[in-house]
Amino acid sequence: MTAVLQLLVPLLLAAIAPVQAAGPSNGDLRLVNSTGGPSALEGALQIYLATNGTWGAVCVRAGSNKELYNTVCQQLGYTGADGTGSYVTNVSVNNVTNDEFPAPLLTGVQCSSVYPHLLRCGYTLVTDVMEDICEDGTGVPYVTCMSSNLTSSGPYPGQVALFYGEWSSEGLLQVYLNNRWGTVCSEFFTLANGDSVCQQLGYTNALYYGPYSQYGIRWIWLRELNATCNSSCFKDCYTAPTIRNIYCSNRDDVYLVCTFDTTRYDSSLPYGRNCSLEYGTLTAAFIAVLMILFCLIVSVYIIIFIMRVVVAAYHKTEHYKLKDKRHRNRRHDFDEYRSSLDENSMILSNDYTVKD
Ligand SMILES: *[C@@H]1O[C@H](CO)[C@@H](O)[C@H](O)[C@H]1NC(C)=O
Ligand SMILES: *[C@@H]1O[C@H](CO)[C@@H](O)[C@H](O)[C@H]1NC(C)=O
Ligand SMILES: *[C@@H]1O[C@H](CO)[C@@H](O)[C@H](O)[C@H]1NC(C)=O
Ligand SMILES: *[C@@H]1O[C@H](CO)[C@@H](O)[C@H](O)[C@H]1NC(C)=O
Ligand SMILES: *[C@@H]1O[C@H](CO)[C@@H](O)[C@H](O)[C@H]1NC(C)=O
Ligand SMILES: *[C@@H]1O[C@H](CO)[C@@H](O)[C@H](O)[C@H]1NC(C)=O
Ligand SMILES: *[C@@H]1O[C@H](CO)[C@@H](O)[C@H](O)[C@H]1NC(C)=O
Ligand SMILES: *[C@@H]1O[C@H](CO)[C@@H](O)[C@H](O)[C@H]1NC(C)=O
């Protein structure tokens, strides 16, 4: 019994546990705040580079642009930075001492526009493992993001987002359609489709995907997808909008891990700036209304049909009852008539006998 349990429990746990990246993906960001740990909303900026296998500081020039702060917040899944941000030349002012703060990996970072990923900005790779945090005239940006995230403030139809991931580059894939977020079934999902989603989000490609396999009552939008589709807008991979998918279970929702592969990066590659579905909500509502009307008409027809059958059957029995009654009445009359006849004939015969 215990042997069976020992065998079954890890299997069950494996089935329930969500797919997760072993660690952060290349280019992932985190904000390290005054309490030392990576915080969700504010802190000194760090980046993870896969080639170095570590988290490192990002150095920017003094008075650096607000596009950078907004880019950082957008990559982390927020609508933008709170104010223009600030930068710190001496990280220890934030209670994270220079010793604790990792050496810089990027320097001279400059964003000419607000991008969905920091590695789309201009930068120089730091090749020397420096002793000091940032060189003269540069500092680590201290970023404060606005608490409302991209997904909670006015998403657009066709928007994609990754939820509940440890890093912003991974999570449960959801698509915003018909005024609500819904998941994607992993049954027909491919890595090419993952590339599509990741590109819409500003990454270069997908690392891997798997079923989220965590129970939950989530709306499911998509199941059938074009397997070869790797368009930089995910909406090109499905025929949308669809009605809620009922042929898929929430255990099969897609958990996706994206990455920014600098060798695959092409600055001309578009990202989700223009991936909205203009017709989305209206058509879906129209289809939904049509479906409801169709169901109503069919059920009304069925009810009418059943009623007609019942009424016909009722009439039939009534008819027979009536016929039977008439028949019986007629028979009764006849019997009476016959018995009267018999009586008469008896009288006649009596008379006759009397005559005889
Ligand atoms: C700092 O980060 C920790 C998590 O590491 C978080 O609990 C705390 O609220 C953050 N503080 C601020 C001021 O953001
Ligand atoms: C956005 O906010 C919602 C609710 O406020 C939360 O459930 C969701 O996980 C957040 N998404 C991201 C990508 O942070
Ligand atoms: C950084 O701040 C700490 C404590 O505030 C101070 O001891 C140190 O000298 C400062 N370093 C520089 C380079 O300013
Ligand atoms: C810095 O750390 C000290 C001791 O750990 C603590 O008393 C102080 O409040 C911290 N300062 C900030 C700004 O968090
Ligand atoms: C990070 O990795 C790159 C590429 O391997 C290397 O050139 C660079 O020196 C490394 N940077 C640090 C700070 O170790
Ligand atoms: C599927 O996607 C590929 C690549 O984008 C495209 O060439 C093909 O026409 C698509 N097929 C359908 C049926 O939409
Ligand atoms: C899609 O995949 C094809 C074949 O692998 C590749 O040539 C093309 O560049 C990809 N397109 C995008 C937008 O990634
Ligand atoms: C988005 O696409 C539409 C039509 O496909 C086009 O008219 C519009 O200019 C595009 N907008 C941007 C910002 O590229």
Side-chain angles (χ1 to χ4, degrees):
M1 187 62 199
T2 39
V4 172
L5 273 182
Q6 269 171 352
L7 194 76
L8 273 180
V9 166
L11 277 178
L12 283 174
L13 282 180
I16 297 164
V19 188
Q20 258 177 1
S25 299
N26 187 53
D28 275 357
L29 301 179
R30 69 178 183 190
L31 301 175
V32 180
N33 72 14
S34 54
T35 38
S39 80
L41 267 182
E42 69 164 297
L45 182 62
Q46 290 184 0
I47 191 165
Y48 181 87
L49 291 187
T51 49
N52 303 95
T54 56
W55 288 95
V58 174
C59 298
V60 296
R61 263 187 205 289
S64 225
N65 48 55
K66 65 177 191 298
E67 282 84 359
L68 179 131
Y69 293 92
N70 282 311
T71 294
V72 167
C73 291
Q74 292 228 349
Q75 185 178 334
L76 287 169
Y78 300 105
T79 35
D82 196 1
T84 54
S86 62
Y87 77 106
V88 285
T89 47
N90 188 345
V91 179
S92 58
V93 295
N94 294 297
N95 256 9
V96 183
T97 63
N98 283 357
D99 293 342
E100 286 168 350
F101 212 78
L105 292 172
L106 301 182
T107 190
V109 182
Q110 208 149 17
C111 306
S112 54
S113 156
V114 179
Y115 299 107
H117 201 289
L118 189 75
L119 291 183
R120 287 174 180 268
C121 299
Y123 59 85
T124 310
L125 276 174
V126 175
T127 47
D128 294 328
V129 184
M130 298 192 301
E131 273 185 28
D132 244 339
I133 178 68
C134 283
E135 286 183 317
D136 286 348
T138 63
V140 176
Y142 190 90
V143 187
T144 307
C145 297
M146 284 190 284
S147 57
S148 64
N149 62 26
L150 285 176
T151 50
S152 62
S153 66
Y156 60 84
Q159 186 170 345
V160 291
L162 304 174
F163 289 75
Y164 321 125
E166 192 179 355
W167 315 107
S168 49
S169 58
E170 65 173 65
L172 169 71
L173 170 60
Q174 296 206 61
V175 185
Y176 191 79
L177 287 172
N178 313 321
N179 297 317
R180 69 150 70 223
W181 288 99
T183 61
V184 177
C185 190
S186 62
E187 200 180 336
F188 298 118
F189 195 82
T190 62
L191 203 59
N193 298 157
D195 286 347
S196 170
V197 171
C198 292
Q199 283 178 25
Q200 181 170 338
L201 286 168
Y203 299 89
T204 56
N205 57 291
L207 267 186
Y208 60 87
Y209 71 93
Y212 185 55
S213 54
Q214 240 177 29
Y215 294 104
I217 303 163
R218 295 182 289 269
W219 201 273
I220 305 164
W221 273 134
L222 305 170
R223 181 167 173 256
E224 291 84 8
L225 298 166
N226 177 346
T228 56
C229 172
N230 65 346
S231 155
S232 54
C233 280
F234 189 50
K235 66 170 179 177
D236 299 338
C237 302
Y238 54 84
T239 42
T242 46
I243 299 301
R244 179 183 190 176
N245 200 294
I246 51 165
Y247 303 106
C248 190
S249 126
N250 275 131
R251 291 197 57 180
D252 298 325
D253 290 341
V254 170
Y255 190 93
L256 182 64
V257 182
C258 295
T259 191
F260 196 98
D261 184 346
T262 40
T263 62
R264 283 172 75 155
Y265 175 55
D266 171 4
S267 62
S268 68
L269 212 68
Y271 52 88
R273 267 179 304 191
N274 206 5
C275 290
S276 75
L277 285 163
E278 295 81 2
Y279 54 89
T281 51
L282 222 149
T283 316
F286 185 64
I287 292 172
V289 166
L290 276 188
M291 293 273 285
I292 291 167
L293 272 181
F294 178 75
C295 290
L296 271 179
I297 290 169
V298 167
S299 36
V300 163
Y301 262 101
I302 290 172
I303 289 167
I304 288 175
F305 179 76
I306 291 170
M307 276 171 70
R308 279 171 74 165
V309 167
V310 168
V311 165
Y314 176 75
H315 275 308
K316 223 172 188 174
T317 49
E318 279 301 292
H319 179 72
Y320 279 125
K321 264 191 211 156
L322 214 67
K323 224 172 160 183
D324 199 39
K325 204 172 160 191
R326 273 201 218 118
H327 185 72
R328 262 187 282 129
N329 286 350
R330 235 184 267 143
R331 205 185 159 90
H332 183 74
D333 293 349
F334 178 72
D335 286 348
E336 266 182 10
Y337 174 70
R338 232 192 37 197
S339 58
S340 71
L341 264 187
D342 285 352
E343 269 169 30
N344 284 345
S345 67
M346 232 146 79
I347 294 164
L348 274 176
S349 61
N350 283 348
D351 287 356
Y352 193 74
T353 31
V354 169
K355 256 186 183 171
D356 256 346

